[in-house]
Amino acid sequence: MLASKNLKGIFVFKFQIMQLVFATNNSNKLKEVQSLIPDHIKLLSLKDIDCLEDVPETQLTIEGNAIQKAEYIKKNYGYDCFADDTGLEVETLNGEPGVFSARYAGKQRDANDNMDLLLENLKGRDDRSAQFKTVVALHLNGKLEAFTGICKGKITTKKYGEKGFGYDPIFKPSGQSKTFAEMDLALKNEIGHRGKAVMQLVEFLNSL
């Protein structure tokens, strides 16, 4: 944060602009995160840095994937950056689909296919408790930091709502009457896993 005097001699505090790459090709994720990032942080997408290849995410944990993506961008493009990885963990399915959430039903990474398979696997099960987990890995000034956000809830028996993306139409957060796909973005960011992780990221950046 910088301090300067205005014409009346009063100190005015201004944040120095910080530039960060968000290592994602997912336009929905980018929209969600942009709504949380303060104005003094300039967010660049992978397209902005001409990163057109698929960033690898071959680790066996959510944390591992987030770190791998952040390190890839720093190593190959030289930018300070952050990356996230998210998984839906269903209690009665021993944490599935977890780190494989995006490709649960196959390499085509189709959200409806993934939801249909999950609903099929939960047929006849009374326990539908689940949680979304997001890990954000930040690579900044040669150091690595990680932030975790969790949102608990349950899997519905069918899809509700047209907003959001991924498993949002079948995930109802605890204490809520609507799925993520029925909520406006502001509420989803307030109570959701990604919003919680990103706000930890923002608090850390503001403390520098």
Side-chain angles (χ1 to χ4, degrees):
M1 190 163 61
L2 303 177
S4 61
K5 284 185 179 180
N6 63 16
L7 294 177
K8 295 183 180 180
I10 299 173
F11 278 100
V12 177
F13 290 91
K14 298 179 180 180
F15 283 103
Q16 188 174 7
I17 296 297
M18 178 184 295
Q19 182 173 276
L20 283 174
V21 172
F22 179 26
T24 184
N25 285 311
N26 188 316
S27 60
N28 291 299
K29 280 188 181 182
L30 187 61
K31 180 181 177 182
E32 281 191 8
V33 172
Q34 280 180 325
S35 70
L36 293 167
I37 296 293
D39 292 340
H40 70 277
I41 299 174
K42 182 180 180 182
L43 205 59
L44 300 178
S45 67
L46 291 179
K47 183 179 179 180
D48 290 330
I49 63 170
D50 294 323
C51 176
L52 305 179
E53 72 266 27
D54 289 331
V55 178
E57 43 184 328
T58 58
Q59 302 303 303
L60 297 179
T61 64
I62 294 168
E63 294 88 345
N65 272 343
I67 291 170
Q68 181 182 31
K69 289 187 282 186
E71 290 183 331
Y72 181 88
I73 295 302
K74 183 64 177 179
K75 177 181 179 181
N76 291 280
Y77 291 86
Y79 287 91
D80 285 330
C81 63
F82 67 92
D84 84 313
D85 197 46
T86 295
L88 177 63
E89 301 171 333
V90 180
E91 181 77 23
T92 193
L93 298 180
N94 299 313
E96 290 184 7
V99 71
F100 302 107
S101 293
R103 52 192 185 278
Y104 189 44
K107 294 181 180 180
Q108 72 274 20
R109 292 172 173 256
D110 184 85
N112 279 306
D113 290 347
N114 290 337
M115 286 187 285
D116 290 342
L117 178 58
L118 183 57
L119 292 176
E120 179 66 27
N121 289 341
L122 284 174
K123 274 187 176 179
R125 297 179 186 253
D126 295 327
D127 182 5
R128 305 181 75 86
S129 57
Q131 68 175 26
F132 266 120
K133 177 181 179 180
T134 290
V135 176
V136 172
L138 171 68
H139 212 305
L140 181 66
N141 300 327
K143 296 182 179 180
L144 190 67
E145 304 284 345
F147 312 93
T148 301
I150 289 175
C151 181
K152 294 184 179 294
K154 66 178 183 179
I155 305 301
T156 56
T157 56
K158 62 181 182 178
K159 302 168 190 173
Y160 297 93
E162 301 294 331
K163 301 175 185 177
F165 61 100
Y167 294 89
D168 286 356
I170 61 171
F171 182 82
K172 185 181 293 184
S174 298
Q176 301 294 319
S177 60
K178 298 179 179 180
T179 67
F180 272 150
E182 296 174 289
M183 294 180 183
D184 59 40
L185 183 57
L187 179 57
K188 182 184 177 184
N189 278 339
E190 179 183 346
I191 67 174
H193 47 293
R194 186 170 295 104
K196 291 176 180 178
V198 172
M199 289 312 298
Q200 292 174 46
L201 166 69
V202 171
E203 288 175 7
F204 174 80
L205 294 173
N206 283 342
S207 70
L208 298 177

